[in-house]
Amino acid sequence: MIRNNTIVYISYIMKNGRGEVLETTTTSYLHGSPAISKTLQSQLEGLTPGQTAKIYLKKGQENADDDFTFDITIKAIREPSPLKLHLLSGFLGSGKTTAIRQACRLLSKQNIPVAVITNDQGSRLVDGDLFTHLGIPSGQVTNGCFCCNYNDLDAIIRYLIDRAGNGFEKSGVIFAESVGSCTDLVAAVLKPLLQQHPEWRTTMTTFADAQLLNSPTGFDETINYIYDKQLEEAQVIVVSKTDLLESPAGLIANMQARYPGKTILFQNSFDEEHIARWLETLDAMAFTKDLPSLDIDYDTYGAGEAKLAWLDQQLEITSPQETAQHAAFALIRRIAKTNHPIGHLKFLLDGHTRISITATGTTGHPQPQPAPKATLLINARIQTEPATLSRLLATAIAETEIRSVCTIRTITESCFQPGYPRPTHRMA
């Protein structure tokens, strides 16, 4: 029954005073919060799942500029749960960050507190800086995956809970995005969390790029091994970027045949209804420490990680012609022309504009603006040797300086291969 502090899932059709349909959607909210009109909420009190109602918002009520009617169906009602910790696995560039960003936006609209933990083999993260810019409480696990830095992950979760206060542990949501070259999270992260913190509701989703599933990757077989193991251990698979496929029917059938028994969602993460469906799926799933752990060869896994070179670089670009942002985009295009297989290229321009390039395409196409100075943070993950990747960046920078008539200064740079994976815990 709907009452204060219950989470309510509804579908509705909204009409104006002339009977014209303005909106048809499915959403959820915390009853008693300011997420939706108090007048509307008062008319839903006491309803139960499956019931329908026609409710009204009259002109002048809560500044309404017309008479509105809502044909509502109550889909589900749930009690608030303890802290939800959603782990995200999936290969480089599979859409994890986009899904988290949109989920935080949706939950914030419902007055549900959120926080994010980013993770990488390097130490200066584009995504960490992005969430800071967006004002979303966040923390970072750096210089290795969650598996190998489990104690750091646990400490940051505790830090975010303590920092948020006001009952965050009773109603908040934390998204923890693992680095894209990591697998074996069920044994090395999910099970230890479920054992050590049974009071939390911990889940795991594995993301996969629909376009990458539909085409050859070009990666070494040891890297493909990691990719396959990520999907093998998943209980929930989100196939992202399905809106970019001309015809997803074949991929849908193939995934369902290849992974029987798994929950598979085909998702456009910019669609709020898709994000709501994903979160509702996690709410309904039972994740226990009895889940099967991977049968995995760590030597092959480690060899796959060693095939990838990691580069983190901070640049400052100055231009007397005020074309510093144009030079930044020219540099990005040059880097992306590499013949080496791209795991993920991430760029953060001036601390707030994110551009992402994967093996299957580019997201983020802002127009450069006149500017005498620009900053660019680069996270490059490419199948090659570190020395080769470092030379690739140096050549691209030199060419950009000449052709764009600018000066590019390196502030910090780190280029390396990930070390052999040695998880803190592993529960078979």
Side-chain angles (χ1 to χ4, degrees), residues 310-370:
W310 242 250
L311 180 139
D312 300 330
Q313 193 165 2
Q314 291 176 270
L315 303 175
E316 182 182 78
I317 305 170
T318 56
S319 166
Q321 292 82 21
E322 298 195 351
T323 57
Q325 286 197 5
H326 293 77
F329 282 101
L331 174 60
I332 290 169
R333 288 192 294 271
R334 287 191 175 93
I335 296 170
K337 286 181 179 178
T338 176
N339 292 323
H340 300 284
I342 295 173
H344 204 178
L345 295 173
K346 290 185 282 189
F347 305 89
L348 194 67
L349 178 64
D350 290 334
H352 55 75
T353 301
R354 182 180 187 267
I355 300 100
S356 173
I357 300 173
T358 69
T360 60
T362 305
T363 57
H365 299 275
Q367 292 297 317
Q369 302 298 316

Side-chain angles (χ1 to χ4, degrees), residues 154-388:
D154 190 63
I156 289 175
I157 294 170
R158 280 296 177 190
Y159 164 77
L160 290 171
I161 291 171
D162 293 343
R163 176 184 170 191
N166 297 324
F168 183 85
E169 193 167 9
K170 295 181 180 179
S171 62
V173 178
I174 296 178
F175 295 94
E177 176 186 353
S178 69
V179 62
S181 62
C182 181
T183 188
D184 202 28
L185 265 74
V186 168
V189 181
L190 181 64
K191 285 185 175 183
L193 283 169
L194 289 168
Q195 182 180 70
Q196 296 175 23
H197 300 285
E199 72 279 15
W200 298 344
R201 181 166 177 79
T202 304
T203 73
M204 193 179 97
T205 306
T206 298
F207 277 69
D209 182 337
Q211 294 177 295
L212 199 60
L213 287 167
N214 246 7
S215 60
T217 66
F219 292 114
D220 184 85
E221 61 180 12
T222 56
I223 297 176
N224 288 331
Y225 179 81
I226 297 172
Y227 185 86
D228 291 339
K229 286 296 179 180
Q230 289 173 341
L231 293 169
E232 181 184 328
E233 74 170 337
Q235 188 171 9
V236 175
I237 297 174
V238 169
V239 179
S240 65
K241 310 179 190 179
T242 53
D243 53 305
L244 302 179
L245 297 180
E246 290 185 7
S247 177
L251 176 61
I252 292 171
N254 179 59
M255 289 295 291
Q256 290 171 339
R258 186 176 177 186
Y259 299 104
K262 297 184 186 293
T263 298
I264 305 175
L265 303 177
F266 298 88
Q267 180 165 300
N268 168 12
S269 291
F270 291 102
D271 187 318
E272 190 172 280
E273 289 192 21
H274 286 200
I275 292 293
R277 180 190 61 182
W278 168 46
L279 297 177
E280 290 168 17
T281 298
L282 295 181
D283 284 347
M285 294 289 290
F287 290 80
T288 72
K289 57 180 180 292
D290 296 326
L291 289 173
S293 296
L294 271 180
D295 179 9
I296 183 169
D297 181 341
Y298 261 72
D299 287 339
T300 304
Y301 173 17
E305 288 207 299
K307 290 287 184 181
L308 293 164
W310 242 250
L311 180 139
D312 300 330
Q313 193 165 2
Q314 291 176 270
L315 303 175
E316 182 182 78
I317 305 170
T318 56
S319 166
Q321 292 82 21
E322 298 195 351
T323 57
Q325 286 197 5
H326 293 77
F329 282 101
L331 174 60
I332 290 169
R333 288 192 294 271
R334 287 191 175 93
I335 296 170
K337 286 181 179 178
T338 176
N339 292 323
H340 300 284
I342 295 173
H344 204 178
L345 295 173
K346 290 185 282 189
F347 305 89
L348 194 67
L349 178 64
D350 290 334
H352 55 75
T353 301
R354 182 180 187 267
I355 300 100
S356 173
I357 300 173
T358 69
T360 60
T362 305
T363 57
H365 299 275
Q367 292 297 317
Q369 302 298 316
K373 183 179 291 187
T375 61
L376 190 67
L377 176 60
I378 303 171
N379 291 163
R381 289 79 179 97
I382 292 177
Q383 181 182 303
T384 188
E385 298 291 330
T388 302

